[in-house]
Amino acid sequence: MISNWIHQMLKNRYLFSTLRLAGIRKLSVCGCPQGGVLSPLLWNLVADTLLRQLNNSGFPTYGFADDYLTLLVGMCISTLFDLMQNALQVVEDWCRQYGLSVNPSKTSIVLFTERRNRNGVRPLRLFDSEIDVTEQVKYVGVILDSKLSWTPHIEFRIKKACMAFGQCRRTFGTTWGLKPKNIKWIYTTVVRPILAYGCLVWWQKGEVRTVQSKLGHLQRMCLMAMSGAFSSTPTAALEVPFDVAPLHIHLKQEALSCTYRLRVLGLLEETSVNRSSTHTSLFPLLVNWDKIVLAPSDLTIACNFPYRTFSTKFPSREEWTSGYLERSISDGIVCYTDGSLLEGRAGAGVYSRELRLYQSYSLGRHCTVFQAEIFALMCGVQSALQQHVMGKVIYFCSDSQAAIKALASANSRSKIVIACRTQIEELNSANAVHLLWVPGHSSIAGNELADELARSGASHDFIGPEPAIPISKCWIKLQIHTWAVTQHRQYWNSLESCRQTKLYSAEPSLRVAKYLTNLSKQNCSMLVKALTGHCRLSYHMANIQQADSFACDSCESDYGTSYHLICNCPVFAQLRFRVFGKHLLSETDFRNLNLQDILLFLTRCGKEL
């Protein structure tokens, strides 16, 4: 990784110079007029020559579309700038050879160093134009500053995310507009990914408290919009009921997913995995959590299929229940396949009367249902290949639309899907293969037998070392999400504040978050105020100096908190008994209450929160 290399050079007190070339445009190629557009194929052929020339001349260069980055390292500033001038001369010669030009105003030079003495820094020349040394450069959306502090990049990303959320604010207000569920979707799907872009290289900066404060500003703005909470409500008290992890934990989660993907695809240097001083030190953290991530992965580089010879069909349930399809496929070979997940164990089942198949397979605890469905289909195809079936019409019936659509897709990143697709094409070369969707649990005899076989396989432990098949990317993402939830729980328990919120929410809960976000804005706001204690009751109003007394204005026997109102206030004892079944509630009783009952109680008591 580029940033990883720069980090190592800075630690060794090397000087590091970066040249960014952009705005490469056409002058005249093959007689075309100035300002014409190169075709993608011709551009790839021409651009490849620049990369080869610079790298062969000793100037390490990386290219992305029309953006190029040349990296030079050395101990002497003047020598480093002489070498960079030579690299610019190579670019000039290449441009004249192919009739292209580089826009000097879009070209930047950055000197990465921690030294204060910068004697020898001078502007360089490109096409008779001076290029000054800048303090930062933006490359493929990531801002690299001269000390790799990542502060400019984080500030830019936060500003961009805030602007995106600001545009969405037109669709909702405090009491009108989109429901909390829709606002949360906008934040987690649109706004937060804008911030997390490139977090693989700068996630460590999120551990700094000043940066966490800046990140918290963005998250707080979105949480306040979806909850309608009091302005004094702590951000952490809103993150737990809505099951939204603090941003510094979310950034580590995204970086972990990216690190795993790059390592599996062979794009992360093995030599840098164990360096604790770089961003690649994140992967050992995942290994310590669960060493199964070191097992072979089902993820691979995308494989494109130029054509598909077999057919796929998705009949309706009515067609199956009428028996029409069973009569129409009676003259061919029919194979029913199914996958199952039972108590954390996966299994696959295959049944075919014509192929004499009645098999169940145990796939262990690290297999997804999708993989089990594909594995079952592949077992049926392999059996037909081994029996040398030729000149037949073969129907493979599965109740998984996802598996059939994945096999029919023009590309795939799954090794098991690619292997199954290859074998189906091989079988189809001598037969007519059809993949049929069959509705599950519809009393179709063949599918019921396959389902029974799959559940039988899932009920037994896998014999042998796990995993039985390569680990799915979805399974790894689930493990990383589980790790992030654990981190959020530990962070929440370590806080000394948010006393009243902890009375009900001991840890983040997806169940609570789903209920809150599906409410109207008014009801969601009422519940959030009651759970956090930041409301218009006397205790909180006195804390913010908006009331004279801390006592409950109904009974004056205790502090006027929302917990006292719901659990102990004698004025509402009869109402409490009718709603909750008890006149007084303990902290344990309060924690076990349903949010629906709490909302009903608050609505009937008539208190304005």
Side-chain angles (χ1 to χ4, degrees):
M1 300 293 290
I2 293 173
S3 62
N4 184 29
W5 188 19
I6 297 176
H7 267 301
Q8 295 302 315
M9 294 302 105
L10 291 180
K11 284 189 174 294
N12 293 328
R13 302 190 64 79
Y14 281 97
L15 298 171
F16 203 87
S17 180
T18 299
L19 166 68
R20 184 237 183 183
L21 301 171
I24 299 179
R25 55 183 184 269
K26 181 179 175 187
L27 290 178
S28 59
V29 177
C30 302
C32 294
Q34 180 174 350
V37 179
L38 288 172
S39 66
L41 179 59
L42 182 58
W43 169 251
N44 289 336
L45 293 174
V46 172
D48 184 59
T49 60
L50 176 59
L51 287 174
R52 281 193 276 110
Q53 285 187 24
L54 286 169
N55 282 286
N56 292 340
S57 301
F59 307 117
T61 305
Y62 304 84
F64 181 82
D66 64 341
D67 254 355
Y68 289 82
L69 191 71
T70 300
L71 306 171
L72 295 179
V73 60
M75 297 293 293
C76 178
I77 293 181
S78 58
T79 303
L80 197 63
F81 273 72
D82 290 339
L83 292 173
M84 190 61 77
Q85 184 63 64
N86 294 338
L88 289 173
Q89 189 61 47
V90 173
V91 175
E92 282 193 39
D93 296 340
W94 176 82
C95 288
R96 293 190 180 95
Q97 179 181 356
Y98 289 96
L100 300 172
S101 70
V102 175
N103 190 348
S105 64
K106 293 185 178 180
T107 302
S108 306
I109 295 176
V110 179
L111 181 66
F112 294 95
T113 179
E114 295 180 349
R115 298 181 186 177
R116 295 184 178 180
N117 185 2
R118 297 191 177 188
N119 294 332
V121 174
R122 66 179 189 276
L124 302 180
R125 301 192 67 83
L126 177 64
F127 289 108
D128 299 326
S129 299
E130 285 192 354
I131 303 175
D132 294 325
V133 179
T134 59
E135 290 297 316
Q136 63 186 40
V137 63
K138 186 178 180 182
Y139 184 67
V140 293
V142 178
I143 298 177
L144 303 170
D145 59 281
S146 60
K147 293 186 178 181
L148 287 186
S149 66
W150 305 112
T151 301
H153 175 76
I154 294 174
E155 291 177 349
F156 170 76
R157 283 286 146 190
I158 292 176
K159 181 179 179 181
K160 192 171 182 178
C162 289
M163 290 176 61
F165 188 74
Q167 293 294 325
C168 299
R169 285 301 301 263
R170 302 179 182 182
T171 61
F172 58 87
T174 306
T175 58
W176 58 271
L178 298 177
K179 293 177 66 175
K181 176 178 65 175
N182 305 115
I183 301 174
K184 183 178 180 181
W185 181 88
I186 289 173
Y187 173 59
T188 57
T189 310
V190 179
V191 177
R192 198 166 60 178
I194 295 175
L195 174 68
Y197 179 79
C199 64
L200 172 64
V201 296
W202 60 268
W203 67 269
Q204 287 177 321
K205 192 70 175 179
E207 303 294 311
V208 180
R209 288 190 176 274
T210 54
V211 176
Q212 288 182 10
S213 176
K214 296 178 181 178
L215 296 174
H217 168 72
L218 169 65
Q219 181 134 303
R220 178 179 179 80
M221 179 176 61
C222 300
L223 288 171
M224 292 292 292
M226 72 175 74
S227 66
F230 250 48
S231 58
S232 59
T233 310
T235 304
L238 297 176
E239 291 170 341
V240 170
F242 285 97
D243 194 28
V244 177
L247 279 176
H248 67 277
I249 296 177
H250 174 73
L251 292 174
K252 290 176 70 174
Q253 179 183 354
E254 291 296 309
L256 273 171
S257 299
C258 186
T259 301
Y260 178 80
R261 184 175 70 252
L262 291 178
R263 187 176 185 276
V264 166
L265 298 179
L267 301 176
L268 189 67
E269 298 178 8
E270 293 292 337
T271 56
S272 64
V273 170
N274 295 321
R275 292 177 183 170
S276 59
S277 60
T278 66
H279 57 269
T280 51
S281 63
L282 197 58
F283 187 75
L285 190 151
L286 182 59
V287 174
N288 292 334
W289 172 257
D290 194 341
K291 290 183 171 54
I292 197 67
V293 299
L294 296 173
S297 174
D298 186 49
L299 179 66
T300 185
I301 296 175
C303 176
N304 298 316
F305 304 105
Y307 56 86
R308 173 168 58 88
T309 58
F310 60 92
S311 68
T312 60
K313 298 180 181 179
F314 298 90
S316 64
R317 287 182 178 269
E318 290 73 18
E319 289 179 289
W320 278 102
T321 53
S322 65
Y324 168 76
L325 282 174
E326 289 183 337
R327 292 192 298 271
S328 66
I329 65 178
S330 60
D331 58 338
I333 297 176
V334 185
C335 181
Y336 291 92
T337 65
D338 199 6
S340 179
L341 192 67
L342 186 65
E343 296 180 353
R345 294 187 295 262
V350 185
Y351 167 73
S352 174
R353 183 183 59 188
E354 293 80 8
L355 296 176
R356 297 182 298 278
L357 276 177
Y358 192 82
Q359 295 288 336
S360 64
Y361 304 89
S362 176
L363 300 177
R365 296 183 175 275
H366 302 94
C367 177
T368 64
V369 176
F370 174 79
Q371 285 183 308
E373 298 279 2
I374 296 293
F375 181 84
L377 277 166
M378 189 163 59
C379 289
V381 174
Q382 286 177 349
S383 178
L385 288 172
Q386 291 170 1
Q387 296 181 33
H388 304 288
V389 177
M390 299 182 66
K392 300 289 185 179
V393 180
I394 308 176
Y395 299 91
F396 291 98
C397 302
S398 172
D399 59 3
S400 172
Q401 290 194 26
I404 296 175
K405 289 178 180 179
L407 290 169
S409 177
N411 57 73
S412 178
R413 292 178 176 269
S414 170
K415 293 177 182 177
I416 190 171
V417 171
I418 295 171
C420 187
R421 169 73 179 256
T422 303
Q423 292 180 4
I424 292 175
E425 295 286 0
E426 181 183 351
L427 181 63
N428 190 76
S429 63
N431 302 273
V433 177
H434 305 278
L435 301 185
L436 265 65
W437 174 74
V438 54
H441 309 291
S442 299
S443 301
I444 298 172
N447 184 67
E448 292 296 325
L449 287 172
D451 182 56
E452 182 181 345
L453 290 169
R455 283 188 277 109
S456 175
S459 64
H460 295 85
D461 290 325
F462 176 73
I463 300 176
E466 292 204 41
I469 57 178
I471 297 292
S472 169
K473 177 187 174 183
C474 295
W475 194 88
I476 293 295
K477 290 185 70 175
L478 178 62
Q479 296 303 110
I480 294 175
H481 175 72
T482 304
W483 171 86
V485 170
T486 303
Q487 293 292 307
H488 188 191
R489 185 185 302 115
Q490 293 176 356
Y491 171 78
W492 173 244
N493 292 332
S494 67
L495 293 177
E496 296 181 358
S497 56
C498 308
R499 175 190 54 81
Q500 178 147 329
T501 310
K502 289 182 177 181
L503 290 176
Y504 186 83
S505 302
E507 60 183 24
S509 171
L510 182 60
R511 177 185 58 83
V512 172
K514 283 185 176 181
Y515 183 80
L516 286 175
T517 53
N518 280 293
L519 293 173
S520 65
K521 294 182 72 70
Q522 291 80 2
N523 289 339
C524 179
S525 176
M526 183 185 298
L527 266 181
V528 168
K529 290 174 182 177
L531 296 180
T532 59
H534 289 252
C535 54
R536 291 185 177 88
L537 297 178
S538 58
Y539 182 80
H540 180 68
M541 298 303 289
N543 271 332
I544 60 176
Q545 299 179 356
Q546 296 295 319
D548 297 330
S549 173
F550 290 90
C552 173
D553 54 7
S554 297
C555 65
E556 297 184 355
S557 61
D558 201 349
Y559 289 138
T561 64
S562 56
Y563 173 78
H564 168 74
L565 173 67
I566 297 171
C567 299
N568 299 322
C569 185
V571 175
F572 301 99
Q574 293 300 323
L575 175 61
R576 191 177 300 113
F577 181 78
R578 290 195 300 269
V579 176
F580 303 129
K582 289 185 177 182
H583 291 94
L584 296 175
L585 300 177
S586 64
E587 290 188 6
T588 304
D589 295 331
F590 176 61
R591 185 167 294 175
N592 294 328
L593 292 179
N594 291 325
L595 289 176
Q596 186 176 1
D597 294 336
I598 297 177
L599 181 61
L600 178 62
F601 176 85
L602 294 173
T603 304
R604 291 185 177 180
C605 73
K607 285 286 186 177
E608 183 182 0
L609 298 182

